[in-house]
Amino acid sequence: MMSRGKARAHANIALIKYWGKRDEELFLPMSSSLSLTLDSFYTETEVVFDSKLDRDYFYLNDKLQSEFQTKKISKFLDLFRIKKDIKYNALIKSVNYVPTAAGLASSASGFAALAAAANVASGLNLGERELSIYARQGSGSATRSIYGGFVEWREGNSSENSYAVPIDDAKWDIGMVIVIVRKSKKEISSREGMKRTVDTSPFYNAWVKSSKKDLMEIKKAIWDKDLEKLGAIAEANSLRMHATMFGARPPIIYFKPETIQVMEIVKDLRSDGIPCYFTMDAGPNVKIICRLSQSKIIKDRLKERFEDEQIIISGPGPGISYL
Ligand code: ADP
Ligand code: DP6
């Protein structure tokens, strides 16, 4: 007996960040978040449930993964197996067209693609909202990667009402320039980093409070297609998230010297009349929100300091697709 499913999901970058869980088992967040799905970064995953397999096998970029990594996937697939009473082990083959664990949202595209592939392989055939609830239980940010464009993850207060909602298809002049400062794996995962922040940072509650206001305001800016307003809110939201980490014990500092350099270049570009704004996640890489039509000018300026390969331009991306 054998059944398979294959899907693609794109990464997303949060403009209003998800940072902290109220329920770690169910991945319920402390606050709602909002992101832009990206065209340039994605994951393709195939899941095969096969009665002949003696255990689950997880290949990422053609490499058989450790027991630790495989366990995370197995636990996630159990959600589907239990629901459909599937007793078989699985072969999972995934390819990240995005650097893994470098703060470029590989876990978001990774778990969204896995959820969609398992959705077909298990025969569960969930709709997109339900699927976002499943993806959430693999990695919080994956909730949002089910949809394209601007997406809100509504925090909810139970598993059934914590899901993603598409806000705007982003079919206007908007994009991101991503500066890859370091490609290597980060020292502290988002999961660990957010937990430590919630547990020890005295600034945490203030951030949650201001984030709620940011979310309301950024939605208005999106509806108005107001890049200046949208960018300014996103930049502040990201810096305040990092401020909560500076206040943690032991502190968490994802910035590298080049991170600050990119922030300075963005400020210089702005004084030259080019609207662009930075946002950083759990890593040193910087994402610059801008008009897609001006992304080339921004890249050229960055090339005075960084290599061509370190600078990637992306437009808004689509939601999941079945392959
Ligand atoms: P990132 O910033 O890249 O999302 P995280 O540390 O948040 O980094 O997440 C990285 C983790 O996401 C990996 O250790 C792995 O468990 C999971 N992950 C990454 N890619 C995939 C994939 N293609 N399929 C399933 N899980 C993945
Ligand atoms: C800073 O979704 O990777 O990128 O839910 O524990 O898997 P887990 O964490 P993850 O955290 C993402 C944090 C962030 C902000 C965001 O994407 O909203």
Side-chain angles (χ1 to χ4, degrees):
M1 261 301 293
M2 205 196 244
S3 62
R4 66 177 75 229
K6 190 172 180 184
R8 176 188 303 143
H10 287 253
N12 72 78
I13 299 299
L15 302 177
I16 305 298
K17 308 292 184 188
Y18 146 56
W19 194 249
K21 299 180 183 70
R22 66 172 84 241
D23 186 321
E24 283 173 29
E25 258 315 292
L26 291 173
F27 290 76
L28 298 179
M30 286 284 202
S31 59
S32 299
S33 54
L34 186 143
S35 58
L36 180 65
T37 301
L38 295 185
D39 201 32
S40 299
F41 299 122
Y42 57 94
T43 298
E44 285 179 3
T45 300
E46 182 178 38
V47 171
V48 183
F49 290 113
D50 186 341
S51 57
K52 291 205 264 324
L53 294 170
D54 59 335
R55 65 171 178 96
D56 289 340
Y57 291 87
F58 172 37
Y59 289 85
L60 180 56
N61 299 335
D62 286 326
K63 253 184 72 191
L64 185 63
Q65 298 296 295
S66 66
E67 201 183 321
F68 175 77
Q69 286 297 341
T70 309
K71 253 202 186 123
K72 279 209 248 179
I73 307 296
S74 298
K75 198 171 164 219
F76 182 72
L77 288 181
D78 285 345
L79 298 172
F80 292 84
R81 280 190 280 230
I82 290 165
K83 196 86 184 169
K84 290 292 283 184
D85 201 24
I86 294 170
K87 302 256 176 343
Y88 308 142
N89 291 307
L91 171 66
I92 305 102
K93 283 189 188 161
S94 185
V95 179
N96 280 342
Y97 296 90
V98 41
T100 304
L104 285 172
S106 69
S107 65
S109 56
F111 276 98
L114 181 66
N119 191 29
V120 175
S122 66
L124 198 53
N125 297 322
L126 302 165
E128 292 187 330
R129 177 170 291 184
E130 279 287 305
L131 200 55
S132 85
I133 291 174
Y134 272 72
R136 191 196 74 225
Q137 294 168 75
S139 180
S141 50
T143 315
R144 301 181 307 241
S145 270
I146 300 299
Y147 297 105
F150 289 104
V151 181
E152 180 184 354
W153 170 15
R154 302 205 170 136
E155 58 180 307
N157 54 16
S158 72
S159 191
E160 294 69 40
N161 64 15
S162 184
Y163 50 73
V165 179
I167 292 294
D168 180 280
D169 60 13
K171 294 214 164 80
W172 42 289
D173 192 7
I174 186 133
M176 279 194 187
V177 178
I178 296 103
V179 190
I180 303 183
V181 160
R182 301 282 156 98
K183 239 186 173 156
S184 50
K185 221 168 140 61
K186 57 196 169 200
E187 289 136 44
I188 307 166
S189 71
S190 335
R191 194 157 301 178
E192 218 182 308
M194 66 175 78
K195 180 166 166 41
R196 190 190 298 171
T197 307
V198 174
D199 290 346
T200 66
S201 179
F203 309 148
Y204 187 72
N205 289 338
W207 180 74
V208 170
K209 203 170 155 209
S210 70
S211 216
K212 290 192 175 170
K213 188 160 168 270
D214 290 346
L215 179 69
M216 289 202 310
E217 289 177 359
I218 207 166
K219 284 206 286 193
K220 182 163 187 316
I222 292 169
W223 287 321
D224 294 342
K225 301 190 174 23
D226 184 341
L227 174 68
E228 281 85 350
K229 206 154 151 215
L230 181 159
I233 298 166
E235 201 175 271
N237 188 270
S238 163
L239 283 177
R240 286 173 179 173
M241 174 184 76
H242 284 276
T244 67
M245 300 185 214
F246 294 165
R249 277 287 184 84
I252 303 163
I253 304 172
Y254 285 115
F255 294 1
K256 297 287 180 206
E258 300 93 319
T259 311
I260 312 277
Q261 281 170 359
V262 179
M263 289 159 65
E264 300 269 310
I265 295 172
V266 167
K267 276 202 281 178
D268 287 348
L269 279 159
R270 266 205 313 260
S271 358
D272 294 348
I274 296 162
C276 58
Y277 305 84
F278 55 78
T279 181
M280 286 81 62
D281 293 289
N285 300 319
V286 186
K287 297 93 182 185
I288 303 169
I289 311 142
C290 60
R291 292 196 211 293
L292 196 55
S293 60
Q294 290 183 323
S295 55
K296 183 76 179 48
I297 305 171
I298 296 168
K299 180 164 179 171
D300 285 344
R301 182 72 67 88
L302 287 160
K303 269 165 69 176
E304 292 169 13
R305 173 66 191 74
F306 299 94
E307 299 298 321
D308 189 67
E309 313 80 71
Q310 287 179 278
I311 312 160
I312 300 165
I313 293 173
S314 182
I320 49 156
S321 52
Y322 294 101
L323 304 169

